[in-house]
Amino acid sequence: MSGAPDGSEPAVAIEVPADDAAPLVVRRAIEDVVHDNPAVRLSESELAEVCSAVHEACTNIVRHGLRGDARRTFRAEVVCRAAELAIVFRDDGPAYRLGPLRAPAPEVLAERGYGIHIMRSWLDEVRLERIGACNVLSLVRRYRAAASCHA
């Protein structure tokens, strides 16, 4: 299954092994699309926020969904729309829910548990669907700038 859940076609779609390099591979693909496409209106700081949220999503897919099994892969699609950038992940791991998770309290000093909070803080939409045997996680960042910052 390819294309975003809304039917738009991705600017790039890659199959990524479920290993520790996955977040970097996806980040580079996003940066390439953003820097090569003047219609994408994200500043460098906004792009950094998107990439941090994507890093969290990839890490969760690799560690929790696919259990770090590098023989397994997940799909990452970068979709450029008129008013937003979407990154869509598809994996065949067990179904899960995002739930109303909150970041650990500051005094707890936890090393883990911030991922969903980071995604929801820096993105406009974080949506999870189960389509057939696939988890489909859609991350959306709307453009705030009037013109490209990468032209």
Side-chain angles (χ1 to χ4, degrees):
M1 178 184 245
S2 67
D6 70 354
S8 53
E9 288 301 315
V12 68
I14 55 175
E15 290 292 323
V16 184
D19 62 27
D20 290 340
L24 181 59
V25 170
V26 176
R27 178 187 186 112
R28 286 186 177 150
I30 293 167
E31 289 172 340
D32 288 347
V33 168
V34 169
H35 291 130
D36 291 344
N37 189 339
V40 176
R41 300 181 314 273
L42 293 176
S43 69
E44 288 299 325
S45 64
E46 291 171 326
L47 176 59
E49 291 172 353
V50 169
C51 287
S52 292
V54 164
H55 181 97
E56 295 298 331
C58 288
T59 299
N60 286 346
I61 292 167
V62 169
R63 287 186 184 163
H64 304 296
L66 303 178
R67 305 284 186 224
D69 182 351
R71 296 170 297 180
R72 297 179 73 183
T73 62
F74 64 95
R75 183 176 176 89
E77 302 169 353
V78 183
V79 182
C80 304
R81 299 185 184 120
E84 63 194 17
L85 180 73
I87 298 90
V88 180
F89 296 99
R90 298 171 192 282
D91 72 81
D92 64 355
Y96 64 96
R97 291 183 30 214
L98 293 177
L101 297 179
R102 296 172 197 217
E107 64 274 7
V108 173
L109 297 175
E111 288 185 29
R112 297 168 52 151
Y114 296 94
I116 293 171
H117 176 73
I118 289 170
M119 286 186 270
R120 287 184 169 150
S121 295
W122 286 340
L123 300 170
D124 296 300
E125 292 179 36
V126 177
R127 196 172 53 250
L128 176 67
E129 301 174 84
R130 184 75 177 182
I131 300 176
C134 239
N135 296 306
V136 180
L137 176 63
S138 301
L139 309 178
V140 174
R141 178 64 181 255
R142 290 188 194 92
Y143 306 140
R144 286 147 178 85
S148 173
C149 298
H150 304 290

